[in-house]
Amino acid sequence: MDLLRTMGAFREVARRGGFSAAAQALRVSNATVTAQVQQLEAHLGVALFHRTTRRVTLTTDGAAALERVERLLEDVDELQEDVRGRTRAARGRVRVDVPAAFGRHILAPALPSFFSKHPHVQLELGSSDRPVDLFREGIDCVVRGGPVFDDSLIARRLKTLPIVTLASPSYLRRAGTPKTPDDCRAHRAVNFFSPRSGEVFAFDFERDGQVLEVPIPHAVACNDSDTLLACGVAGLGLLQAPRSAQVDALIAQRKLVQVLPAWTCGALPVAVLYPPTRHLSARVRAFVDWLVSAGV
């Protein structure tokens, strides 16, 4: 059995929704495509398609197999081009997982620049901040803020965002403006908790070598920066957040005010992470290099 050929036949049937259309695209007989898919099913020990007289649809196992097959065939194509010494434009699918706020406010507005350079790449963007197993889930790279969560991954720094203390004008009118970090203990907070560990983070302050960690009781705790900022704008308490373009816009609109500006509050490193490999595919390399160079 030619495993690559059978996988190619399987991919075409899945893409085109039928054996006849796949046979026409591959310029072989319908019987040949049918036999190749049957060989692959026998080799894997699962049914890849539900077959009726009217339609062909993927089984659950077939859908899972298609994810792996498409990626494998794309990598084989790239390998062949590299061995032949040809310069190959990045093409194919790149699966990326990013925090929702990063995807909405930073990455999405910058993507036209990426596609102007790499029009043959298709991005699949997942939005989360959860721990991911890149190998098991078939994800090419992730963008995360904070310490690297997996030492087995390669991390390339994108930027470092200073963290600031904020509150809405309405909250400060109601509760008063703290003059020192210790004053914050009498306030309510919109706290942030880790999507990975569930830990609720205390407020951090530093000035002239003095470092303070101030736990503040919260009305609400969030694990997403968009929700954190929305709760702050709603007047639910003090909050600490990375100073991004979104935060600058909220300050300019007087929806949030910086509190205790004389105290620094640490910084959030943002990095793109991907598995170590001697042969990083052209499409993933193109996306990672663009992220780093674009300074998103």
Side-chain angles (χ1 to χ4, degrees), residues 7-287:
M7 288 192 294
F10 163 57
R11 179 177 64 178
E12 287 300 319
V13 174
R15 284 179 173 179
R16 300 177 185 277
F19 287 84
S20 297
Q24 291 177 359
L26 295 170
R27 298 183 180 180
V28 297
S29 69
N30 199 339
T32 296
V33 173
T34 300
Q36 289 172 332
V37 172
Q38 289 174 342
Q39 289 172 358
L40 184 60
E41 288 179 319
H43 178 73
L44 297 176
V46 297
L48 299 172
F49 293 107
H50 296 296
R51 300 166 172 85
T52 69
T53 56
R54 293 188 176 184
R55 60 186 303 191
V56 174
T57 58
L58 286 165
T59 63
T60 301
D61 289 328
L66 182 62
E67 290 271 341
R68 299 292 184 87
V69 163
E70 286 185 327
R71 295 169 64 81
L72 178 60
L73 292 178
E74 287 171 350
D75 287 341
V76 169
D77 287 344
E78 285 192 359
L79 176 61
Q80 289 175 334
E81 296 292 341
D82 287 348
V83 170
R84 291 168 184 164
R86 298 176 184 174
T87 301
R88 187 175 191 270
R91 64 177 64 244
R93 180 181 57 171
V94 179
R95 295 190 67 195
V96 185
D97 194 86
V98 302
F102 179 88
R104 181 179 301 114
H105 301 290
I106 300 174
L107 181 58
L111 281 178
S113 167
F114 172 75
F115 288 117
S116 69
K117 297 178 180 178
H118 305 288
H120 303 296
V121 174
Q122 300 89 44
L123 291 181
E124 292 186 1
L125 294 176
S127 294
S128 74
D129 202 14
R130 63 183 176 82
V132 295
D133 185 327
L134 276 69
F135 294 100
R136 183 177 60 82
E137 299 182 46
I139 295 173
D140 293 302
C141 61
V142 298
V143 173
R144 291 292 184 266
V148 175
F149 62 88
D150 187 338
D151 291 337
S152 70
L153 301 176
I154 294 175
R156 294 181 64 183
R157 181 69 57 84
L158 299 181
K159 61 175 62 179
T160 300
L161 300 173
I163 295 174
V164 292
T165 306
L166 304 161
S168 71
S170 63
Y171 173 80
L172 295 176
R173 284 194 297 270
R174 185 172 68 251
T177 300
K179 304 300 183 184
T180 69
D182 278 338
D183 290 346
C184 295
R185 300 179 190 276
H187 283 257
R188 301 290 283 177
V190 180
N191 280 327
F192 187 85
F193 69 90
S194 168
R196 292 187 281 276
S197 67
E199 176 190 1
V200 176
F201 296 112
F203 281 38
D204 291 319
F205 297 96
E206 182 177 352
R207 188 176 69 177
D208 300 329
Q210 182 183 13
V211 179
L212 299 174
E213 185 176 275
V214 180
I216 306 174
H218 59 256
V220 59
C222 312
N223 67 357
D224 169 76
S225 62
D226 269 355
T227 307
L228 182 83
L229 293 172
C231 288
V233 170
L236 296 180
L238 304 173
L239 66 100
Q240 287 191 334
R243 184 149 192 172
S244 61
Q246 182 189 9
V247 167
D248 284 341
L250 292 171
I251 292 174
Q253 297 163 11
R254 298 289 298 172
K255 293 182 178 180
L256 290 175
V257 176
Q258 186 174 356
V259 177
L260 298 172
W263 291 79
T264 61
C265 309
L268 180 75
V270 182
V272 56
L273 300 99
Y274 54 91
T277 176
R278 294 181 61 187
H279 180 75
L280 187 65
S281 69
R283 60 189 183 276
V284 178
R285 183 170 57 249
F287 181 71

